[in-house]
Amino acid sequence: MVSQFSVPTKIFSGTEALSILGQYADKRVAIVTDAFMVKSGLIQQVTQYLGTQFRVFDQVKPDPDISVLQQGTATFVDFEPELFIALGGGSALDAAKGIRATYFSLKGKQSIPLIAIPTTSGSGSEVTSYAVISDPIKNVKYPLVSDDLVAEMAILDANLVMSVPKSVSMDTGMDVLTHAIEAYVSKNANDFSDALAEKTIYLVHRYLPQVFENPSNKKARAKVHNASCMAGMAFTSSGLGLVHGMAHTLGALFHIPHGKMNAMLLPIVIEFNSANCDYIRHRYSQCAKAMGLNAISNHSAVMQLVAEIRQLNQRFGIPESLRALGCDINLLQQDLTKVVDSILQDGCTQTNPRAVSADDVRNLLKLIAG
Ligand SMILES: NC(=O)c1ccc[n+]([C@@H]2O[C@H](COP(=O)([O-])OP(=O)(O)OC[C@H]3O[C@@H](n4cnc5c(N)ncnc54)[C@H](O)[C@@H]3O)[C@@H](O)[C@H]2O)c1
Ligand SMILES: [Fe+2]
């Protein structure tokens, strides 16, 4: 077996980190972002360091689709950028990755770097080789994976996340926790991804509740922001698991924010994965330990871990089932075979620690439907 660990992205962090953009003041810069960043003026935190030659594409919507990649590419095709900047949550970062790839396929591959500046603490997309692109007609989200999607540079400045609304902060924070736990138990986990995942679990468990209590707590925000990036480094090496495999399909079908969908699925999938295998229980027990939970056996550690995640969800206002969220469960019944196939084929399902059958997925869907 060969496992790979590399972090090709240069990471700059801290309250002055954005100032390194000053070195690109003479470049033509393509900025990919969403309308909120422009309306709120947050984009000026970036543009103040650039010269006059920048062009902004601000039409990214949550869960970007192929049409957004086409529109974005069309915006920049005659501009001939020398640098791409992605500013926003995972949706803007993934859209920028896709727009740069589409631009390269149109113009021929060039060495135009991408600087990713996350404004949520969630996806870790600033360091991953993933871009999740939706097909709204088929109601499917595709996790694309390629080294070509990796950003050359990431800038982590927690000032940019201070304005994230509480519910989005909790959803995205639970996405970070899911990345770390899935990376830790993944079939391709390794010592390097383990170290990052353990630290992420510790940081999110300690500081996300502090962000919930006081969203203006800058220290807690900065810890969760760094954790988000570390979790990205972990899972871009190890892969993810069935929570993400199911969340991509269910999130696309019911239009549920990615982190919320993961948070709802996480306890159910942990119970499923750990049911028949003490080694998997042992791996989850290490996740419980990273949260500071002490148990006398692997079995009770898993029970404590699941209870702790359910408690966090309850505190953050994240419901247990699709029905409790107000989803029309009939949608699931109508397309059950397609939903099951799409979950089984999702790239993230391939690295789940327990092999998954169509019957398993059907049973898990019953549980999450509620
Ligand atoms: N590429 C990867 O490695 C990876 C990993 C996990 C998730 N994803 C994808 O990322 C997307 C989710 O990203 P996300 O959870 O960051 O959400 P998002 O990017 O969709 O943003 C959620 C909302 O928060 C708003 N927002 C963003 N920054 C803000 C700020 N600073 N202040 C106020 N509002 C702000 C956005 O305008 C949007 O309305 C999904 O499509 C998911 O599939 C990608
Ligand atoms: Fe995720």
Side-chain angles (χ1 to χ4, degrees):
M1 196 188 107
V2 179
S3 61
Q4 184 188 331
F5 185 86
S6 59
V7 185
T9 309
K10 270 191 197 163
I11 300 161
F12 296 84
S13 61
T15 49
E16 322 243 301
L18 284 168
S19 64
I20 61 131
L21 291 172
Q23 61 187 277
Y24 302 100
D26 61 341
K27 301 277 187 229
R28 278 191 309 282
V29 183
I31 303 177
V32 177
T33 189
D34 68 24
F36 174 82
M37 292 298 139
V38 176
K39 214 171 70 192
S40 65
L42 266 178
I43 194 171
Q44 283 160 22
Q45 304 283 326
V46 167
T47 53
Q48 65 175 322
Y49 295 108
L50 304 176
T52 50
Q53 303 184 86
F54 61 83
R55 191 176 280 187
V56 179
F57 174 72
D58 68 357
Q59 292 304 303
V60 177
K61 306 277 180 317
D63 301 331
D65 60 30
I66 298 150
S67 73
V68 166
L69 306 192
Q70 287 162 344
Q71 281 173 45
T73 309
T75 302
F76 299 127
V77 86
D78 68 327
F79 179 63
E80 310 228 319
E82 297 163 291
L83 172 70
F84 281 92
I85 290 182
L87 176 72
S91 297
L93 271 46
D94 284 3
K97 289 174 171 186
I99 288 168
R100 181 174 70 156
T102 313
Y103 183 88
F104 285 162
S105 70
L106 204 72
K107 294 263 196 177
K109 188 162 182 210
Q110 303 160 40
S111 55
I112 306 176
L114 169 65
I115 301 182
I117 309 175
T119 66
T120 60
S121 308
S123 72
S125 178
E126 65 275 13
V127 287
T128 72
S129 51
Y130 288 58
V132 184
I133 304 300
S134 297
D135 181 337
I137 296 166
K138 289 192 187 155
N139 268 335
V140 182
K141 277 171 92 173
Y142 297 106
L144 311 176
V145 189
S146 161
D147 286 347
D148 289 343
L149 295 171
V150 178
E152 278 67 22
M153 207 185 276
I155 301 179
L156 307 179
D157 179 351
N159 284 320
L160 294 172
V161 300
M162 298 306 293
S163 55
V164 180
K166 207 184 225 188
S167 74
V168 178
S169 300
M170 297 307 115
D171 290 348
T172 50
M174 291 305 286
D175 190 21
V176 178
L177 185 64
T178 308
H179 291 158
I181 293 179
E182 291 218 282
Y184 197 83
V185 301
S186 158
K187 278 205 294 206
N188 289 346
N190 52 72
D191 285 344
F192 306 95
S193 58
D194 282 359
L196 289 157
E198 282 173 13
K199 182 75 176 181
T200 302
I201 294 167
Y202 167 78
L203 288 173
V204 176
H205 182 252
R206 182 174 172 136
Y207 290 103
L208 190 61
Q210 293 187 25
V211 173
F212 179 75
E213 291 310 324
N214 176 13
S216 311
N217 182 337
K218 240 186 206 175
K219 180 183 169 189
R221 287 277 198 186
K223 292 289 185 188
V224 179
H225 206 42
N226 287 346
S228 169
C229 185
M230 284 192 275
M233 289 184 221
F235 85 74
T236 205
S237 164
S238 62
L240 290 164
L242 184 57
V243 176
H244 273 78
M246 293 183 74
H248 289 145
T249 300
L250 296 177
L253 187 61
F254 293 108
H255 305 286
I256 299 168
H258 173 72
K260 195 188 292 294
M261 192 66 250
N262 280 332
M264 290 162 63
L265 287 162
L266 185 58
I268 293 171
V269 170
I270 293 177
E271 283 174 339
F272 165 77
N273 280 343
S274 58
N276 305 320
C277 173
D278 201 51
Y279 178 69
I280 297 175
R281 281 197 285 271
H282 165 70
R283 295 294 288 170
Y284 281 124
S285 79
Q286 298 301 304
C287 299
K289 205 167 151 193
M291 289 186 178
L293 305 172
N294 287 313
I296 45 163
S297 67
N298 290 338
H299 193 267
S300 72
V302 175
M303 281 174 34
Q304 283 192 41
L305 178 67
V306 167
E308 186 71 11
I309 294 165
R310 289 210 162 107
Q311 235 170 51
L312 287 174
N313 282 347
Q314 201 178 23
R315 190 168 170 193
F316 299 160
I318 297 172
E320 285 200 348
S321 68
L322 294 169
R323 205 179 292 277
L325 195 59
C327 299
D328 176 7
I329 303 301
N330 289 329
L331 276 178
L332 203 54
Q333 303 305 337
Q334 279 162 19
D335 274 335
L336 192 60
T337 309
K338 256 170 62 185
V339 168
V340 172
D341 282 352
S342 153
I343 290 170
L344 289 173
Q345 279 161 27
D346 190 284
C348 296
T349 305
Q350 314 313 315
T351 43
N352 192 61
R354 177 174 169 183
V356 189
S357 70
D359 279 345
D360 294 332
V361 174
R362 272 188 222 105
N363 288 334
L364 288 163
L365 287 171
K366 267 187 215 146
L367 292 176
I368 195 63

